[in-house]
Amino acid sequence: MKVGMSVANRKKVGWYLIFTVPLLLIFTLIVLVPFVIGIYYAFFQWDGIGANPMVFNGLDNFVRLMDDTRFLRSAWLTVLFTVLSVITVNAAGLAFALLVTSKLKLANLARTMLFMPYLIGGLILGYIWQFVFLDVFTLLGDATGLDSIFFNWLNNEDFALFALVFVFTWQMAGYVMIVYIAGIQGIPGEVIEAARIDGASGWQRFLRITVPLLMPAFTISLFLTLSYGFKIYDVNLSLTGGGPANATELFAMNIYNEIFGYGNYGYGQAKAIVFFVIIAAITLTQVYITKKREVEM
Amino acid sequence: MKAIGNWSKEILLVLMALVFLSPIYIIFVNSFKNRLELYENTLAFPEEFGLQYYSAAMERMDFFNAFINSMYVTVVSVIFIVVLSSMTAWMLARSGNWVSTVIFMTLIATMLIPFQTIMMPLMQLVTGITRTTGIPLYNTLSGLIFMNIGFHAALSVFLYHGFIKSIPISLEEAATIDGASKFGVFWRVVFPILTPITATVMILNVILIWNDFLLPSLTLIDKELRTIPLSVFYFFGEFTIEWNLAMAGLTLTIIPVVIFYVLAQKYIIKGIGEGAVK
């Protein structure tokens, strides 16, 4: 009689289960199940209180998003924040990488120092900079007379978002610097040397050789900052708390406030699903472009 | 002439890095100043290095307790993540059947999900489980560790999987022929080879878990369970900010990070590079 698997096969499956099931069970319970329940919640109106009924309202939550001015403003601010941050983080990160890969003796020390902010959590960074804007910026304004530049940005509806960009850049520049360093070190020294012998100036060597060969590093860094920027929360919370007057309430914070602040669980969850779709689109575009480039290289 | 030019470049580079880190300097020097001194000149060195603001900040933040909680959660989470995700990744990578491919793809796909998308349903689920079954997932450190394992599984399996694919299978086969069990093969032969990627996985997870704020803030309710980011958050929320105390508190929270950085600098920079590029 040949029922089921042979002993050897059964043993193999047994080991497979022992090795994989513990992690996959936890993962399913913590990530997959909530994700699916979350999609379900997005079609209901509910205040989060167990005793109160959940009312099915179809696509109403998603329709409501379209003319929720606070949400639309928040989405726009997030896009603005992300675009500005992607530019500043990458410009600073690339500049740092070029500096610390020069042949200077203290380059390693500088690299270590420039990377430091990334390790300190976003929440704590935000508090540190709160003080810098509050006190040091005002002090600098008084001392230099440039009080149209140096004042407390956090109290100003237009400047608070720039403050957020500023601090995010401070946090992330050292991080993308690491990616660019890897890219720069991958450029063969002979290529640069050959160009130098052919009489290419420093600037020409940078534009014609370094930049094209850094394309993979660019792609990685651009999309890393893009998705990190879009998801920013901790720095947002501790630096501005969304203020003044909601001028810096970015996407992630808007979702949090909608659900846990205003108690709109169903509506807030619909926002969270839209958030996921946007992040997924950004990330998949990244993967697509990276793969395409890898083939070309 | 050239030597002088180089020296000025060296100094300029370090000066730039110092200006870059000046916010940390500012926090540090002002953590020793009294109110008057603080507002007189923020950038100046303190007149004396008294520790009174540190002891006050420590007390208000319940710093030691928060430090122990953060340590406990980070260390235990990372150990579980390393053990479970390396085992899983090895099976998935070596048993080339379609089930493994589906599981692996699912794990990778979930890396797209931002935390905000699942935080509410997760909290509903976790409080529901705790209420109905009594399993202490909600408002406990073990529950937070459990959730950390779930959230960091995908990235860790992904990193291990990539590494395992790049090492030859012959050693494992030799050990199997010698009669070692799967368990023996993995722990005695495979796991030691994984050391470089284990270092990367550990570093990445330590940074993410140590600094995590949102998940702990949702699941830990009791005051005595607070991790460092939580205690900083409540410290800034409870009082109208007394900046000299706040600076001492912030300096305290940075110290463990600096020590970690100094000790493991080489691995951290390498780990971050690998984690980012993959």
Side-chain angles (χ1 to χ4, degrees), chain B residues 35-87:
Chain B
R35 264 169 184 245
L36 197 72
E37 220 189 328
L38 195 149
Y39 289 111
E40 224 160 62
N41 186 354
T42 322
L43 302 176
F45 236 60
E47 278 160 24
E48 54 180 325
F49 286 90
L51 290 176
Q52 67 270 37
Y53 301 116
Y54 280 86
S55 52
M58 271 197 175
E59 203 172 303
R60 284 209 190 164
M61 286 170 67
D62 205 354
F63 183 79
F64 274 118
N65 191 40
F67 179 78
I68 301 283
N69 288 339
S70 273
M71 260 318 215
Y72 173 71
V73 169
T74 308
V75 169
V76 179
S77 299
V78 170
I79 290 173
F80 272 105
I81 290 169
V82 163
V83 169
L84 295 178
S85 59
S86 63
M87 284 167 65

Side-chain angles (χ1 to χ4, degrees), chain B residues 202-218:
Chain B
M202 284 172 78
I203 296 281
L204 289 176
N205 282 305
V206 164
I207 296 169
L208 290 172
I209 294 171
W210 183 270
N211 288 329
D212 193 13
F213 167 72
L214 195 47
L215 175 64
S217 80
L218 291 173

Side-chain angles (χ1 to χ4, degrees), chain A:
Chain A
M1 230 170 74
K2 228 182 153 192
V3 179
M5 298 174 273
S6 67
V7 176
N9 246 341
R10 215 181 292 166
K11 227 173 144 185
K12 220 169 141 188
V13 172
W15 280 119
Y16 190 89
L17 296 179
I18 291 172
F19 271 66
T20 59
V21 163
L23 186 74
L24 295 178
L25 214 61
I26 299 174
F27 166 76
T28 306
L29 191 69
I30 298 303
V31 178
L32 286 186
V33 173
F35 181 65
V36 175
I37 308 177
I39 296 174
Y40 172 80
Y41 278 135
F43 296 94
F44 287 84
Q45 195 197 348
W46 186 43
D47 59 7
I49 297 166
N52 291 345
M54 285 173 66
V55 183
F56 180 76
N57 64 359
L59 291 170
D60 280 8
N61 286 337
F62 294 95
V63 175
R64 191 175 146 197
L65 277 178
M66 307 292 177
D67 35 40
D68 176 342
T69 47
R70 206 183 102 244
F71 171 73
L72 293 176
R73 183 170 177 225
S74 161
W76 162 242
L77 289 171
T78 309
V79 171
L80 189 65
F81 166 81
T82 309
V83 170
L84 291 174
S85 298
V86 165
I87 297 168
T88 54
V89 170
N90 283 282
L94 179 60
F96 289 169
L98 289 168
L99 279 173
V100 303
T101 47
S102 62
K103 300 237 157 14
L104 297 174
K105 288 188 194 72
L106 296 171
N108 259 339
L109 177 69
R111 185 185 72 169
T112 306
M113 290 166 72
L114 294 171
F115 179 70
M116 180 79 212
Y118 177 75
L119 287 179
I120 304 169
L123 193 83
I124 289 157
L125 290 185
Y127 288 127
I128 294 176
W129 277 91
Q130 220 186 76
F131 180 76
V132 176
F133 281 116
L134 179 83
D135 202 279
V136 182
F137 264 52
T138 326
L139 191 84
L140 282 175
D142 288 345
T144 59
L146 297 169
D147 49 12
S148 53
I149 303 171
F150 294 113
F151 59 97
N152 187 359
W153 291 10
L154 302 176
N155 283 339
N156 181 301
E157 282 192 36
D158 299 315
F159 274 71
L161 192 77
F162 298 134
L164 213 52
V165 173
F166 198 91
V167 176
F168 184 71
T169 305
W170 192 68
Q171 179 188 20
M172 295 296 292
Y175 179 74
V176 302
M177 169 188 78
I178 302 287
V179 179
Y180 284 121
I181 290 174
I184 291 169
Q185 285 169 343
I187 300 174
E190 308 94 70
V191 180
I192 307 251
E193 200 44 46
R196 194 205 306 272
I197 291 164
D198 288 348
S201 70
W203 185 241
Q204 280 174 325
R205 290 198 300 269
F206 175 70
L207 276 186
R208 298 283 163 78
I209 298 171
T210 311
V211 170
L213 287 175
L214 275 182
M215 276 328 272
F218 270 121
T219 330
I220 295 165
S221 304
L222 284 180
F223 283 101
L224 271 175
T225 34
L226 203 57
S227 71
Y228 272 109
F230 212 85
K231 288 192 276 192
I232 187 173
Y233 179 77
D234 291 6
V235 179
N236 195 182
L237 181 69
S238 56
L239 187 69
T240 68
N246 280 344
T248 59
E249 188 198 51
L250 302 190
F251 216 136
M253 184 178 279
N254 184 277
I255 294 170
Y256 183 94
N257 290 343
E258 193 67 62
I259 297 177
F260 298 113
Y262 298 95
N264 296 324
Y265 276 53
Y267 180 50
Q269 188 57 29
K271 287 182 176 180
I273 299 294
V274 171
F275 189 52
F276 160 69
V277 172
I278 296 173
I279 302 274
I282 293 174
T283 319
L284 290 176
T285 314
Q286 164 196 6
V287 174
Y288 176 73
I289 294 177
T290 319
K291 288 277 172 241
K292 214 173 130 200
R293 283 214 196 285
E294 274 170 15
V295 176
E296 281 167 6
M297 294 294 288

